Amino acid sequence: MRRFLRPGHDPVRERLKRDLFQFNKTVEHGFPHQPSALGYSPFLRLMAIGTRSGAIKLYGAPGVEFMGLHEENNTVMQIHFIPDQCQLVTLLDDNSLHLWTLKQHSGTSELREEHRFTLKGPPGSPPSATQITAVLAHSSREVLYLGTESGNIFVVELPSFRVLEDRTITSEAVQQRLPEDYCNRRSCELVEALREHPKNPDQILIGYSRGFIVLWDLQNNKVTHHFLGSQQLENLYWQRDGSKFISCHYDGSYTQWPVSSDNRQPEPLENIVPYGPFPCKAISKIYWQTTKNGLPYIIFQGGMPRASYGDRHSISVVHGSQQTAFDFTSRVIDFFIIFSSEPTAEFDDPSAMVVLAEEELVVIDLKTAGWPAVHPPYLASLHCSAITCSHHVSNIPLKLWERIISAGSKQNIHYSNMPWPIDGGTNIAPDPPQRDLLLTGHEDGTVRFWDASGVCLHLLYKLSTVRVFLTDADPNDNMNTLGEDEWPPLRKVGTFDPYSDDPRLGIQKIYLCKYSGYLAVAGTAGQVLVMELNDEDAEHVVDHAEADLLQDQEGYRWKGHEKLKTRDGPVRFEAGFQPFVLVQCQPPAVVTSLALHSEWKLVAFGTSHGFGLFDHQQKRLVFVKCTLHPSDQLALEGPLSRVKSLKKSLRQSFRRIRRSRVSSRKRRGGSGNTSEVQEANAKFDQEALQEMELAPVQRKIEARSAEDSFTGFVRTLYFADTFLRDSSRHCPSLWAGTNGGTVYAFCLRVPPAERRMDEPVRAEQAKEIQLMHRAPVVGILVLDGRSTPLPEPLEVAHDLSKSPDMQGSHQLLVVSEEQFKVFTLPKVSSKLKLKLTALEGCRVRKVTVANFGSCKTDDYSENDLAVLTNLGDIQIISLPFLKLQIRYPCIRKEDVSGIASCVFTKYGQGFYLISPSEFERFSLSTKWLVEPRCIVDLPEVTSNNHVHNKSGMENAVRKSRSLGDYGEDESKSGRLMEHALLNDEKVLKEIQSTLEGGR
């Protein structure tokens, strides 16, 4: 019975585990998936983005980020900041309003939902009566004005969301002032826009969808001016001085209206169709910005000719004789202009345009000639081309870091040097302890280098492999070039480009050596490129080599895609990583594994047919090994083939079911115990097991057949300097693990440095291990005499790691999808194993060695295995004893793409895709934690706002003394404003200091 006993809990180890391990989801990198709304506070200098899934994200200065999530998971339709407050209101598609507040807690600011509210009409009223279409957050900070489909405007008190029914602006009240020819019910239906007068907060502009616009006096509850538009209204915008406003319309026109001090019927100053005379798309939003030189900036969304440019997503900027229509590759959600928000300023003087498109954020510098784009420090469009793989490198040496940044800066010469204009809040997070890189491979053949050291995932450099190959597109094509007389003056902006010239260009594997600067990337069509970093542009010939992984075996015919054609002669490359050799696998199948040893100048690669080793110093193929099983025809059809054998996969499924039934019948038939014996055994078991804890029941795992598909698929490659032939001499070696549970080990003879170019590297197969259940091998690791993983190539030479212990015996750890198994070297005899699938019912998807440091002391750290399973759980398993330390749920098991995209870091962090455009960052370590820590202080409110409030209150008091029709309403308004002043912290402090001075 001893084997059923589980070891007791060690309290010392349990305390240590608390000091080492802690799971946190820390920050989301990238661009929000499916954005639906945009808001901006010029007071806080913060931007807010809402999404279709109900998320709301706030951004300010780099490192200042906040996130909230509506419980309803409904689409966020509108976002409005409360003027001069750390508050904002969101409107969802279920017609609910939500009040969010930035509050300080434990030294940092947090975004919290304070209240929620749904506008309800009288019993029996249709839903349109209260369906909110427009929201105005009034500068008094006390109320919201809510325009509805019915044409009524409701007034809601803040922060309680109490409806002030006596202040409702009904469509009937507005219609009383209409001319007779406009007096019909439909003219005041659906409030399209609400805008507060920039100089008089007691007046608001109301725009109805039919084109009718009124200026409403809040104090006297009446219309002061009405404006008769002839076209369907889209939006309104006040000019800064309040003397004019602009309306934009469905027919692609905009109109400028004067607001006179007398009651004369206003006539439009001008009506312009910018891209007429042919039918145009609607102008959905417009800005009119004044400048010191007298020429205004007119900025509007849409308005393009329907027939020729109806599919374009554009925003036009007009300034004097300059006009550009910025053309976006995805739908424009919304945009805003950053301009002078000082109340005393005479002009707007716009500085930047911020555009939220469906797939990216684009910022245009309006101060610099040519209006260049601004390089964003966050909200990067990770999916500008679909992400196909990821690779993380920790603790980059400063010299390599600077060289990568230098190469990237040469690519960014077309960007503006303008400081990031959205700079609200203060980042109080400590500086990152080290420099980390996240490399993403993309479908279009590019590799992007991201600064993953801190909260902001910032693009440093982009590498393209396209120049090596002949494709349909010319890399010198410039999509932004325009003819001088071209009209409309379109200019393509943004980086989002989801279309790939050739799917074979896709990057599948990346390996970067941070010490030597060598980079290996492998692609969909069997191409393996080895590159080195060059600080200058260069033109040279890329050497080619072919690796025939089938080794001319008969009976095999590749049915997949062809290899990529390469360019002949010298190729010009930009500064950065430049390829110097191309290894082409034959057949040109997807490269499934890659390893680079920069000290030995070797690169290993594997596909579904086998693996090979290439000497990139001598530019010579060392050997290839075919791993294809004779019955495996699916491996010859390729990932882009659409004729995969359905019959074969069905046949295999039925075979498994048959084997399972046969084995279960054998188990049932073999039990010949009598009932008396069974009862005695049951009684004994019950008494014995009451006093002990049982080990978990192990599941029966069916062995996989050697005929299963893709058994030769090479899953992992690993270089190690270890004892392979005998225990007295160690030598370089290459290990390969396949989908069929086979591990191959090759002894390598690498000549010494002085004869490296003269003598060839030689390889000889030394071992072959077949796992019993033939489960796919996902990881291979060699532990030295101290049971420590072997260091990375050149790590010891740079004094960043201890030399491995070559005195004690080495151990080999083989990680399959189902179990972890430790073998002794060089005999390769089984020493220890952990049956994960049998015990837990899950399979290993990702595994890596991570170093965990104690949060209590700097003197202790340990290496453990971080494991991600197909259930989305992360397990930490100790080395070398393979004991499960802790388990955390991380990713939903249904999120197959998220599990497949996960990448671990060397120090217990990780990234995985929560959408095509966003990485979720998580931490397993108590010591290494990268998360936003920021604070937003409420800036001092300018005196101008107090003047507005004071004048409004005095007017209300004065009006309430009269016996006019609206005295009662105005007295209530006055009391509200007085209440606001008494709740203002600054005012209360001034009163308190005055009283203390008097005493």
Side-chain angles (χ1 to χ4, degrees), residues 795-951:
E795 193 174 10
V796 176
H798 284 76
D799 296 326
L800 294 171
S801 174
K802 292 181 180 178
S803 297
D805 183 356
M806 293 298 187
Q807 304 303 318
S809 59
H810 285 197
Q811 300 172 80
L812 171 70
L813 171 64
V814 177
V815 181
S816 74
E817 283 190 357
E818 296 178 3
Q819 66 182 17
F820 301 78
K821 198 162 188 178
V822 176
F823 299 89
T824 59
L825 287 176
K827 290 185 178 180
V828 193
S829 56
S830 179
K831 180 180 179 182
L832 186 66
K833 66 181 172 182
L834 171 63
K835 297 181 179 180
L836 191 73
T837 306
L839 297 174
E840 307 285 343
C842 55
R843 297 185 184 278
V844 177
R845 286 288 178 260
K846 304 277 181 175
V847 62
T848 194
V849 176
N851 183 268
F852 293 92
S854 171
C855 63
K856 297 287 179 66
T857 174
D858 294 334
D859 298 334
Y860 183 81
S861 66
E862 66 180 41
N863 292 306
D864 297 288
L865 290 176
V867 179
L868 176 69
T869 72
N870 64 325
L871 302 180
D873 292 338
I874 291 178
Q875 303 188 11
I876 298 175
I877 296 171
S878 68
L879 285 174
F881 301 112
L882 303 182
K883 299 293 182 186
L884 177 61
Q885 299 301 297
I886 204 156
R887 180 192 297 109
Y888 300 112
C890 181
I891 311 173
R892 291 182 301 109
K893 64 180 179 181
E894 299 83 10
D895 187 4
V896 178
S897 60
I899 293 171
S901 66
C902 183
V903 56
F904 289 108
T905 78
K906 192 177 177 181
Y907 294 99
Q909 297 184 66
F911 303 81
Y912 68 94
L913 288 171
I914 53 174
S915 74
S917 58
E918 290 174 289
F919 274 114
E920 175 83 72
R921 186 178 192 136
F922 62 87
S923 175
L924 306 170
S925 169
T926 56
K927 190 172 183 180
W928 298 91
L929 195 66
V930 175
E931 61 180 350
R933 287 185 58 82
C934 43
I935 191 165
V936 176
D937 291 317
L938 195 65
E940 286 192 11
V941 182
T942 56
S943 58
N944 195 55
N945 290 336
H946 289 301
V947 171
H948 285 324
N949 288 338
K950 185 178 177 184
S951 63

Side-chain angles (χ1 to χ4, degrees), residues 51-119:
T51 70
R52 290 190 205 171
S53 60
I56 179 169
K57 301 184 178 186
L58 270 62
Y59 300 92
V64 177
E65 296 185 13
F66 303 95
M67 180 180 169
L69 186 64
H70 296 88
E71 290 182 7
E72 295 81 0
N73 289 343
N74 288 79
T75 299
V76 180
M77 302 298 292
Q78 297 182 36
I79 302 172
H80 300 274
F81 281 88
I82 308 301
D84 304 341
Q85 294 290 304
C86 289
Q87 291 181 314
L88 64 152
V89 171
T90 55
L91 171 67
L92 304 189
D93 64 351
D94 63 355
N95 208 41
S96 63
L97 287 166
H98 301 254
L99 179 66
W100 297 82
T101 304
L102 283 169
K103 287 193 169 179
Q104 291 190 18
H105 176 72
S106 302
T108 61
S109 296
E110 296 178 353
L111 182 65
R112 295 180 184 176
E113 185 178 357
E114 298 289 328
H115 299 286
R116 64 188 64 190
F117 164 75
T118 301
L119 186 63

Side-chain angles (χ1 to χ4, degrees), residues 466-501:
V466 179
R467 287 183 176 274
V468 180
F469 306 102
L470 287 169
T471 60
D472 295 336
D474 185 352
N476 296 317
D477 284 348
N478 186 0
M479 300 179 70
N480 289 336
T481 54
L482 288 174
E484 290 183 6
D485 301 324
E486 186 168 338
W487 188 262
L490 288 165
R491 189 175 108 199
K492 194 169 284 294
V493 288
T495 58
F496 179 72
D497 183 12
Y499 306 108
S500 173
D501 298 326

Side-chain angles (χ1 to χ4, degrees), residues 353-561:
M353 177 174 71
V354 181
V355 183
L356 176 67
E358 200 166 33
E359 304 292 354
E360 62 185 327
L361 184 82
V362 178
V363 178
I364 303 296
D365 178 2
L366 298 177
K367 288 285 190 186
T368 304
W371 300 329
V374 181
H375 197 55
Y378 48 69
L379 285 173
S381 182
L382 300 175
H383 65 314
C384 43
S385 173
I387 294 176
T388 49
C389 66
S390 304
H391 175 65
H392 188 274
V393 189
S394 299
N395 208 6
I396 302 292
L398 179 60
K399 187 176 180 181
L400 176 63
W401 186 265
E402 290 174 342
R403 292 178 71 189
I404 291 173
I405 290 176
S406 174
S409 65
K410 294 175 184 176
Q411 296 177 335
N412 295 334
I413 57 173
H414 300 297
Y415 281 100
S416 166
N417 293 322
M418 175 188 207
W420 184 242
I422 305 165
D423 55 2
T426 306
N427 179 18
I428 58 173
D431 292 334
Q434 60 186 30
R435 295 169 293 274
D436 289 353
L437 274 179
L438 179 67
L439 282 68
T440 53
H442 297 265
E443 192 179 46
D444 63 354
T446 59
V447 179
R448 285 170 168 80
F449 290 64
W450 305 92
D451 178 1
S453 314
V455 171
C456 296
L457 195 67
H458 181 59
L459 181 64
L460 298 178
Y461 164 68
K462 184 180 85 169
L463 161 71
S464 176
T465 62
V466 179
R467 287 183 176 274
V468 180
F469 306 102
L470 287 169
T471 60
D472 295 336
D474 185 352
N476 296 317
D477 284 348
N478 186 0
M479 300 179 70
N480 289 336
T481 54
L482 288 174
E484 290 183 6
D485 301 324
E486 186 168 338
W487 188 262
L490 288 165
R491 189 175 108 199
K492 194 169 284 294
V493 288
T495 58
F496 179 72
D497 183 12
Y499 306 108
S500 173
D501 298 326
D502 192 328
R504 296 175 296 173
L505 289 168
I507 305 297
Q508 297 295 331
K509 295 291 174 184
I510 307 170
Y511 197 105
L512 171 67
C513 174
K514 61 186 178 184
Y515 304 111
S516 64
Y518 282 116
L519 172 71
V521 296
T524 303
Q527 69 271 29
V528 180
L529 285 164
V530 185
M531 313 185 186
E532 59 184 342
L533 193 55
N534 191 343
D535 298 328
E536 302 295 334
D537 294 2
E539 187 173 0
H540 59 257
V541 175
V542 178
D543 291 302
H544 297 176
E546 283 209 354
D548 181 11
L549 296 173
L550 294 181
Q551 296 173 312
D552 300 323
Q553 296 189 31
E554 296 181 1
Y556 293 105
R557 187 170 64 86
W558 171 246
K559 302 175 186 176
H561 50 257

Side-chain angles (χ1 to χ4, degrees), residues 7 28 133 185 240 277 302 341 414 424 481 485 507 579 629 682 734 766 774 817 830 915 947 965 984:
E28 292 176 3
T133 55
R185 173 85 180 108
R240 190 178 188 91
S341 58
H414 300 297
T481 54
D485 301 324
I507 305 297
H629 192 274
L734 172 65
R774 301 181 182 275
E817 283 190 357
S830 179
S915 74
V947 171
D965 295 334
D984 192 303

